[in-house]
Amino acid sequence: MSEPVVVVGGWASPFVTRVCIALKLKGVEYEFLQEAVGRKSELLLRSNPVHKKMPVLLHGGRPVCESLVILQYVDEVFPGSSILPADPYHRAVHRFWAEYADAKLHTALRTMRGMVGGDKADAAEQVSAALRQLEDALAECSGGKPYFGGDDFGFLDIVVGSYIGWFGAAEKIAGLRVLDEASTPRLAAWAARFCAHEAVRDLMPDADRLVEFGEVLRAALAANASCRP
Amino acid sequence: MEKAAAEKAAPLELLGSWASSYTHRVQLALRLKGLEFEYAEEDLGSKSDALLRHNPVYKKVPVLVLPDGRALAESAVILHYLDDAFPAARQLLPADPFDRAVARFWCHFSDDKLGPAVGAVFASTGEEQEAAVRQVHENLALLEAELREGAFKGRRFFGGDEVGFLDVVLGCGSYWLAVFEEVTGVQLVDAEAFPLFHAWLRDFEAQEEVRETIPSVDRLLDYARGLRQMLLAMAGGAGAAAPADAPTAALPAPATADIAVDI
C-alpha cells in the first residue's frame, strides 16, 4: 500500500499515541498533523463529523475513526508483525480487555487530572481497581512472557500502554499512586519495559510535560468559552 | 473431519437472557452461521454460578462458553470471535479492511450513542425525555444519511445484499424502538423522517433467522411496560401511568444495567 498515511491528532492523547505506536511497529511512514490546543481543525471536523474527535487516520484520503477501530485497520491493511494475536480466543481476550481498559481508565484519569469534575480519590480507586484486574489479565495473557502479546507487544499492550504517561501525570496532579510495584508488580515492570521499547520510546509523552499540557489546555478552553457570544 | 466431530460432540453454550438484545446478537449470529449451540436462560435477578464464574468482570449476559470450558463475554467481542474461529462458516464482518472499519465504527456508535439515547427516552419523562428523543432523532439521522448517500448507499442491508455484522448489532435492539413508542407514546422512528432506516428494519425483521431469534411483540410489550413502571418509580417520576394490563410474569430484580433495554 503506497497511499499516503496521515494521523490527525495530538501528542498528548493516549488514543493518538496508540495509533502512532502501531504504525511505528508496522514500519509505516506517516504524516502527523498536530491539532492546535483547544481548537479543532477543519480537517478533523470534516473527517470525523460524527464525533469531532482525534485520532483520525487518513489512508489515501479516506478517514478511519475511533482508536480501537484504527488499530485493527492498521493491523489488517499493513504487512509486518501482527498486532492482534493469531489465535481466535486470544484475539477475543485482547479485544475484551482493550474495551475494559478504555471504559475504566479514561474518564477516571481525567477526573484525577481535574479535567472533569468528580472526586479524585474515588477516581484513583477506580483506576487502581482496574489496574489490579489488568495485572491478572497480564499474568493470563502473557503466560510468563514479557508482554500481553507474548514475546513481543501486541494490541492489548498498545492500548493499555498508551495510558502510561497519563498514569504518571494523574498521580502528580492528584497526589495519589495508581500504578505501583506494591499492588501491581507485573504491570509496573511491564510498563517500564513497554516505555523502553524502541517503537514506544519517542512516542510516550513525559508525565511532567503532560501536567503542563493539562494546564495549557484548561486555559485555552476557558479562553474559548469566554470568547463565545 | 475431526474438528467437525469435536464441535458436534461438545457444542457451544450460550448463557443469555430472553429480553437481552445483546444475547439476541449472539443467537442470531450463531443461527446465520449455522453453528449449533445450547442455550441456558439466566435469571438476572439470581445469577448462576456459571455466569459469575465465566464473566467475573461484568457478571452480564451474553456469555459464550466454548467446548473446552473457556468463556467469552461482550457481544461484539463474541461476534468477532465467531468470525475468527469458524472461517469456513458465513462471515459477518465484510472482507475489505476499510469496510470492516466502517462497520466497527457504527457498532461503537450503536453501543455508545444510539443505545443509551434510546434507553434515556425510555427511562425519563417530560423535558428530559424530549431532550432524549431529540438525541435519538439526531443519531438516526446520521444513520439515515449513511444509507442515503454515505457508506451504505444503495444497500438493502448494512452488510450489502445480505445481513452482516452491523445489521446484527443495530437490528438486535432496533426492535425495541416500536415497542418503546407504544409504551411511552413517543415517536422514535418515523417512516417519513427515516425512510431508509425504516425499510431496512422491516427487511431485517423479515429474515427467517431474525424471526427465530427476536421474541414476540406481545412479550416485549409486556416486559417493556413492567420495566417502564419500575424505572419511573425508581426515578420518582410523576408521569408513570399504571397500565391496566400489568405483567403477571415475574420480572428480574431492578438491576437495570443488566437489562439490555438498549439498542
Side-chain angles (χ1 to χ4, degrees):
Chain A
M1 282 266 163
S2 57
E3 288 174 305
V5 178
V6 175
V7 175
V8 181
W11 62 269
S13 161
F15 305 116
V16 174
T17 301
R18 58 179 60 159
V19 169
C20 296
I21 291 172
L23 288 168
K24 185 131 187 212
L25 192 64
K26 289 275 192 181
V28 175
E29 283 188 17
Y30 62 96
E31 187 190 354
F32 185 77
L33 295 179
Q34 170 69 50
E35 288 283 293
V37 176
R39 214 176 357 111
K40 294 179 184 183
S41 70
E42 265 306 303
L43 180 61
L44 178 66
L45 296 174
R46 204 171 57 237
S47 307
N48 190 0
V50 174
H51 301 298
K52 306 175 174 53
K53 285 185 177 177
M54 57 171 76
V56 175
L57 179 89
L58 293 160
H59 189 200
R62 292 200 299 182
V64 182
C65 306
E66 303 274 282
S67 66
L68 296 183
V69 176
I70 297 171
L71 287 184
Q72 292 176 90
Y73 176 79
V74 167
D75 202 23
E76 289 166 10
V77 151
F78 299 108
S81 51
S82 195
I83 292 174
L84 272 164
D87 173 74
Y89 177 78
H90 293 132
R91 289 163 80 86
V93 170
H94 274 231
R95 288 184 170 121
F96 174 89
W97 287 113
E99 298 273 358
Y100 173 87
D102 282 354
K104 299 294 180 186
L105 295 175
H106 185 228
T107 305
L109 284 169
R110 293 188 81 218
T111 306
M112 282 178 73
R113 288 159 44 207
M115 294 303 297
V116 291
D119 186 88
K120 288 184 175 154
D122 284 348
E125 180 42 45
Q126 180 169 325
V127 174
S128 297
L131 291 180
R132 284 194 294 274
Q133 286 275 19
L134 289 168
E135 171 85 0
D136 291 343
L138 176 57
E140 236 188 84
C141 290
S142 66
K145 292 182 178 177
Y147 299 102
F148 286 96
D151 289 314
D152 206 351
F153 72 74
F155 187 74
L156 190 52
D157 298 277
I158 297 173
V159 171
V160 181
S162 63
Y163 286 108
I164 294 171
W166 278 115
F167 292 142
E171 285 173 346
K172 282 176 195 275
I173 295 168
L176 298 157
R177 293 297 307 270
V178 287
L179 178 66
D180 68 74
E181 303 79 15
S183 44
T184 54
R186 279 190 194 93
L187 214 55
W190 161 85
R193 197 179 297 134
F194 183 78
C195 290
H197 196 291
E198 56 109 21
V200 176
R201 237 176 359 234
D202 300 329
L203 294 167
M204 185 60 63
D206 173 74
D208 289 322
R209 267 192 88 198
L210 286 172
V211 171
E212 224 178 78
F213 172 81
E215 284 156 23
V216 170
L217 178 59
R218 255 197 302 274
L221 292 173
N224 284 350
S226 65
C227 284
R228 272 191 209 110
Chain B
M1 275 172 58
E2 216 181 284
K3 189 174 182 221
E7 277 163 13
K8 278 202 178 297
L12 300 165
E13 190 193 3
L14 176 64
L15 308 182
S17 171
W18 74 269
S20 157
S21 43
Y22 297 125
T23 298
H24 299 152
R25 287 177 178 181
V26 180
Q27 284 173 310
L28 179 57
L30 288 163
R31 290 193 172 111
L32 289 168
K33 289 167 176 290
L35 295 171
E36 282 181 28
F37 66 101
E38 281 172 8
Y39 177 76
E41 174 73 17
E42 277 289 325
D43 175 359
L44 296 179
S46 170
K47 293 173 183 177
S48 72
D49 288 339
L51 177 62
L52 298 175
R53 192 169 19 98
H54 288 310
N55 189 5
V57 175
Y58 296 117
K59 305 176 174 56
K60 285 183 176 181
V61 293
V63 169
L64 185 74
V65 185
L66 309 182
D68 64 7
R70 294 186 298 183
L72 292 169
E74 296 294 284
S75 62
V77 170
I78 295 171
L79 259 46
H80 274 82
Y81 169 78
L82 291 174
D83 264 12
D84 286 343
F86 301 94
R90 175 171 165 181
Q91 295 288 287
L92 290 181
L93 278 156
D96 175 75
F98 186 78
D99 292 342
R100 291 160 77 86
V102 171
R104 286 171 177 141
F105 175 87
W106 290 105
C107 172
H108 280 201
F109 178 83
S110 176
D111 287 347
D112 296 344
K113 299 280 181 199
L114 182 55
V118 174
V121 169
F122 191 68
S124 61
T125 53
E127 267 180 43
E128 210 187 302
Q129 188 181 56
E130 281 167 34
V133 171
R134 275 195 297 276
Q135 193 61 58
V136 171
H137 288 165
E138 272 173 36
N139 293 336
L140 287 176
L142 289 169
L143 283 165
E144 185 75 15
E146 294 298 322
L147 284 163
R148 190 175 55 240
E149 62 218 2
F152 312 114
K153 182 177 176 178
R155 295 189 193 181
R156 187 180 178 214
F157 297 109
F158 291 99
D161 293 327
E162 290 193 326
V163 163
F165 175 77
L166 189 54
D167 300 277
V168 173
V169 164
L170 279 169
C172 290
S174 288
Y175 53 76
W176 284 117
L177 291 168
V179 173
F180 289 178
E181 283 178 338
E182 170 96 18
V183 170
T184 63
V186 160
Q187 178 144 77
L188 291 172
V189 186
D190 176 359
E192 276 181 36
F194 309 107
L196 295 170
F197 186 88
H198 205 263
W200 160 77
L201 187 53
R202 185 202 56 218
D203 283 355
F204 174 79
E205 288 174 352
Q207 297 291 290
E208 185 188 326
E209 294 89 348
V210 175
R211 283 180 309 160
E212 279 172 36
T213 301
I214 293 173
S216 74
V217 165
D218 291 335
R219 275 186 94 194
L220 294 176
L221 279 169
D222 242 13
Y223 180 86
R225 287 193 185 104
L227 188 58
R228 171 100 171 136
Q229 254 193 307
M230 213 163 34
L231 287 170
L232 294 184
M234 271 161 49
D245 49 332
T248 51
L251 286 167
T256 47
D258 293 328
I259 302 164
V261 180
D262 36 24
I263 254 174

